Amino acid sequence: MVRAAVRLAAAVVAAAPLVVSTSLAGEFLVQPLMVAEMKAVFGRVESRIVVPGRARIGGVVQDVRVSEGDHVTKGEVLALVVDDKLALQLRAADARLEALNSQLENARLELERAEQLRASGTGTQTRVDQARTQFEVATNQVAAAVAEKAVVEQSAKEGEVLAPATGRVLTVPVTLGSVVMAGENVARIAPGPYYLRLSLPERHAAEIVEGAEVAIGERGLVQDIGELPAVHSGRISKVYPEIADGRVSADVEIEGIGDYFVNERTLVSIPVGKRSALAVPPEAVRTVHGIDYVRLAADNGEMDVAVILGEIVGDDDARRIEVLSGLRAGDRVVLP
């Protein structure tokens, strides 16, 4: 498509040769230039952090409030786990607390009666001390029962499985009615940041360097990309030192990748070396009957040379089109 656009532009220039004055023509000296050798590979979107939402108690899953792909915030309830034994323990704690409150009230009355008898002179100090001790023991027993009930209530509250971080839900491996143990995964959440993981053949390991710029193409098989640009740019952030199964891995950082799915694949063009190439400005090429020509300047005049074009090289300020055959270093190309 790029070559067709170049040919169209060159054809427009060649279609009106009479309106261009020869006094405005210039020359371009063909010299080799180094261009990056690009290789197209598939990169896989991954999240640097994947945290599990775990059940804090064992029991039966009574409610699942999220599904795969949902966006959750930290502390949001993902699911509800219910342990029927906790309800029985809570009833037992309430009954024990009522019994201890009754004993505490009886101990308080005994202490007041002993103090009244001691004040009237008919009671002894020993009786007062015994009643006070019984009252303090009953008070402490009530406090312990209240603490035990709070433990049971807290265990019941921990049946709510909370999101450990803000991100997207990757998997929910449980269903309603399933039995889970304490510490078992209820959901996996990817909070990011997202990056591309590349896997290249071992022969390119020496050419891959950190900080190199890469080009990211359109999203895999997605046709309607909305307002997303057709091509993103990124850079190689990390090259892993270990080669596994004859392949080297590298990570690519890219902005605006949050809309991608985790493990989604997209095409990445990565530099794996440099090569020497001959290139000319696009306006130097004209197309006649499907054949590309370049006009050369010689000592005895000008002549047209058929060329085979390659890809566009260079940046926006010095864009060139590669010539695969037909030219050699030192040729003088006539510009319109």
Side-chain angles (χ1 to χ4, degrees):
M1 185 175 180
V2 174
R3 183 180 298 178
V6 174
R7 288 180 175 176
L8 180 60
V12 173
V13 175
L18 297 179
V19 299
V20 181
S21 175
T22 57
S23 62
L24 298 179
E27 292 184 358
F28 176 81
L29 183 61
V30 179
Q31 292 186 357
L33 69 147
M34 301 301 295
V35 297
E37 183 72 25
M38 308 298 290
K39 180 177 178 60
V41 296
F42 276 104
R44 188 176 69 253
V45 180
E46 294 188 0
S47 176
R48 294 200 180 276
I49 303 174
V50 177
V51 292
R54 300 182 184 274
R56 293 178 289 179
I57 64 172
V60 179
V61 178
Q62 192 177 69
D63 186 16
V64 179
R65 303 182 183 180
V66 295
S67 61
E68 291 82 352
D70 291 347
H71 182 82
V72 297
T73 57
K74 184 177 181 180
E76 183 177 345
V77 179
L78 305 177
L80 181 62
V81 179
V82 176
D83 187 358
D84 295 335
K85 295 189 299 295
L86 294 178
L88 300 177
Q89 293 176 4
L90 187 60
R91 293 178 184 175
D94 288 336
R96 184 168 183 269
L97 185 58
E98 291 180 359
L100 292 176
N101 284 328
S102 299
Q103 295 179 8
L104 177 62
E105 180 65 18
N106 187 36
R108 186 183 63 80
L109 295 176
E110 289 292 335
L111 178 60
E112 292 179 353
R113 187 179 299 109
E115 290 177 346
Q116 292 175 358
L117 293 176
R118 182 71 179 94
S120 62
T122 58
T124 63
Q125 184 63 35
T126 301
R127 178 58 180 170
V128 174
D129 294 340
Q130 291 177 351
R132 183 176 289 109
T133 300
Q134 293 177 357
F135 177 76
E136 292 175 355
V137 170
T139 302
N140 293 333
Q141 288 178 345
V142 170
V146 171
E148 291 176 358
K149 180 181 178 181
V151 171
V152 178
E153 292 176 344
Q154 181 62 30
S155 298
K157 292 180 180 179
E158 290 180 353
E160 295 181 346
V161 182
L162 305 180
T166 300
R168 283 185 292 178
V169 179
L170 298 183
T171 57
V172 182
V174 297
T175 58
L176 291 177
S178 58
V179 178
V180 296
M181 303 296 293
E184 188 173 344
N185 287 350
V186 175
R188 292 173 59 248
I189 300 173
Y194 300 103
Y195 66 99
L196 288 177
R197 172 66 57 83
L198 307 181
S199 180
L200 295 94
E202 182 179 352
R203 64 179 180 273
H204 299 305
E207 288 81 9
I208 303 174
V209 295
E210 295 185 3
E213 296 291 332
V214 300
I216 293 90
E218 297 181 358
R219 295 181 56 179
L221 302 178
V222 178
Q223 300 296 330
D224 185 12
I225 58 176
E227 299 180 355
L228 290 177
V231 176
H232 297 269
S233 62
R235 67 178 185 87
I236 299 177
S237 61
K238 186 175 184 179
V239 179
Y240 290 88
E242 184 180 8
I243 296 178
D245 297 330
R247 305 188 70 84
V248 59
S249 299
D251 293 345
V252 174
E253 290 184 353
I254 173 177
E255 295 183 359
I257 200 174
D259 293 335
Y260 282 65
F261 292 101
V262 176
N263 291 330
E264 179 180 352
R265 296 196 305 166
T266 185
L267 195 62
V268 180
S269 184
I270 179 173
V272 294
K274 291 185 178 181
R275 59 183 175 85
S276 177
L278 299 178
V280 297
E283 60 269 18
V285 180
R286 62 190 183 93
T287 304
V288 179
H289 301 298
I291 302 177
D292 300 320
Y293 291 94
V294 172
R295 179 162 295 182
L296 298 182
D299 296 337
N300 55 354
E302 299 177 352
M303 62 178 180
D304 290 336
V305 177
V307 295
I308 298 178
L309 302 180
E311 60 184 8
I312 299 294
V313 297
D315 53 17
D316 295 336
D317 297 333
R319 187 174 294 276
R320 300 284 187 267
I321 181 171
E322 183 181 2
V323 178
L324 301 179
S325 67
L327 295 181
R328 61 183 178 181
D331 287 343
R332 292 179 298 159
V333 176
V334 178
L335 299 178

